[in-house]
């Protein structure tokens, strides 16, 4: 009976430890508020609309033509979301990572690429100089994924309106 109790306690401890350790991936945390494909639909929205859709506490810079949000991820790592506006609304959305390890940046970059590749809205235009470029099927927007600085934990994802 004592052995049964010890085994039961050991099992419960293992279950507790593994359930506490269900940390979400960096990509999961990065897309918690909005998916990658949702970010591609932010163009032409007003500053007010965008402001309402982001976490107010993460706002670090704001003026009439710019919003910048910084989100904590991991222990001391961050990613930023930036929006640029003109009279027609948002014309550029940026997502930049600042991770400590290349491996996390590479995993996030691959997941972002997969999300855009799987979108029926965009087609891959070029893949050169560590930069993926897609154009929307309607020709109104473009997406860039810059992975030149993966070794520094940086990935830069940008959606912009074509002129």
């Amino acid at each position: 009976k004592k052995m049964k109790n010890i085994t039961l306690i050991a099992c419960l401890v293992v279950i507790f430890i593994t359930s506490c350790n269900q940390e979400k991936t960096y990509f999961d945390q990065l897309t918690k508020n909005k998916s990658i494909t949702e970010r591609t639909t932010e163009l032409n929205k007003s500053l007010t609309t965008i402001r309402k859709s982001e976490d107010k506490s993460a706002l670090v810079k704001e003026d009439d033509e710019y919003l910048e949000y910084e989100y904590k991820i991991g222990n001391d790592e961050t990613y930023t979301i930036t929006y640029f506006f003109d009279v027609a609304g948002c014309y550029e959305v940026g997502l930049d990572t600042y991770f400590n390890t290349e491996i996390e940046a590479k995993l996030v970059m691959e997941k972002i690429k997969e999300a855009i590749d799987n979108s029926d809205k965009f087609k891959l235009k070029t893949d050169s100089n560590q930069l993926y470029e897609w154009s929307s099927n309607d020709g109104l927007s473009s997406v860039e994924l810059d992975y030149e600085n993966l070794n520094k934990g940086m990935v830069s994802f940008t959606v912009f309106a074509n002129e």
Side-chain angles (χ1 to χ4, degrees), residues 98-163:
Y98 302 95
F99 300 155
N100 292 332
T101 64
E102 180 177 358
I103 192 138
E104 290 295 351
K106 188 170 177 15
L107 289 169
V108 164
M109 182 273 294
E110 288 169 352
K111 290 295 243 174
I112 292 173
K113 181 182 182 304
E114 184 182 311
I116 299 300
D117 281 343
N118 290 337
S119 164
D120 54 9
K121 189 178 173 189
F122 294 94
K123 60 184 178 297
L124 186 63
K125 221 168 49 174
T126 59
D127 172 11
S128 59
N129 300 324
Q130 297 174 308
L131 177 73
Y132 291 111
E133 294 179 276
W134 292 266
S135 58
S136 63
N137 295 327
D138 61 13
L140 298 177
S141 61
S142 297
V143 172
E144 290 183 352
L145 181 58
D146 182 338
Y147 57 102
E148 181 179 5
N149 293 309
L150 274 182
N151 62 330
K152 297 176 183 159
M154 295 167 68
V155 174
S156 185
F157 170 75
T158 310
V159 182
F160 52 94
N162 295 335
E163 296 191 24

Side-chain angles (χ1 to χ4, degrees), residues 8-22:
L8 180 63
I9 290 169
C11 285
L12 289 173
V13 167
V14 167
I15 290 168
F16 177 75
I17 289 170
T18 53
S19 66
C20 289
N21 206 6
Q22 290 295 317

Side-chain angles (χ1 to χ4, degrees), residues 29 32-34 39 42 49-62 67-72 79 81 83:
Q29 293 175 61
K32 181 177 68 178
N33 191 21
K34 292 180 191 172
R39 298 242 176 244
E42 304 283 45
T49 302
I50 298 283
R51 192 188 308 115
K52 287 177 185 171
S53 72
E54 290 287 346
D55 182 349
K56 200 183 298 183
S57 66
L59 183 65
V60 290
K61 284 185 195 158
E62 175 181 17
L67 290 173
E68 181 178 337
Y69 295 86
E70 182 178 79
Y71 293 94
K72 304 278 185 246
Y79 66 94
I81 307 288
Y83 297 95

Side-chain angles (χ1 to χ4, degrees), residues 1 4 6 48 54 62-63 75 77 115 118 123 148:
K1 184 166 170 114
K4 233 184 210 179
I6 290 172
T48 307
E54 290 287 346
E62 175 181 17
D63 67 30
N75 292 331
E77 298 158 298
N118 290 337
K123 60 184 178 297
E148 181 179 5

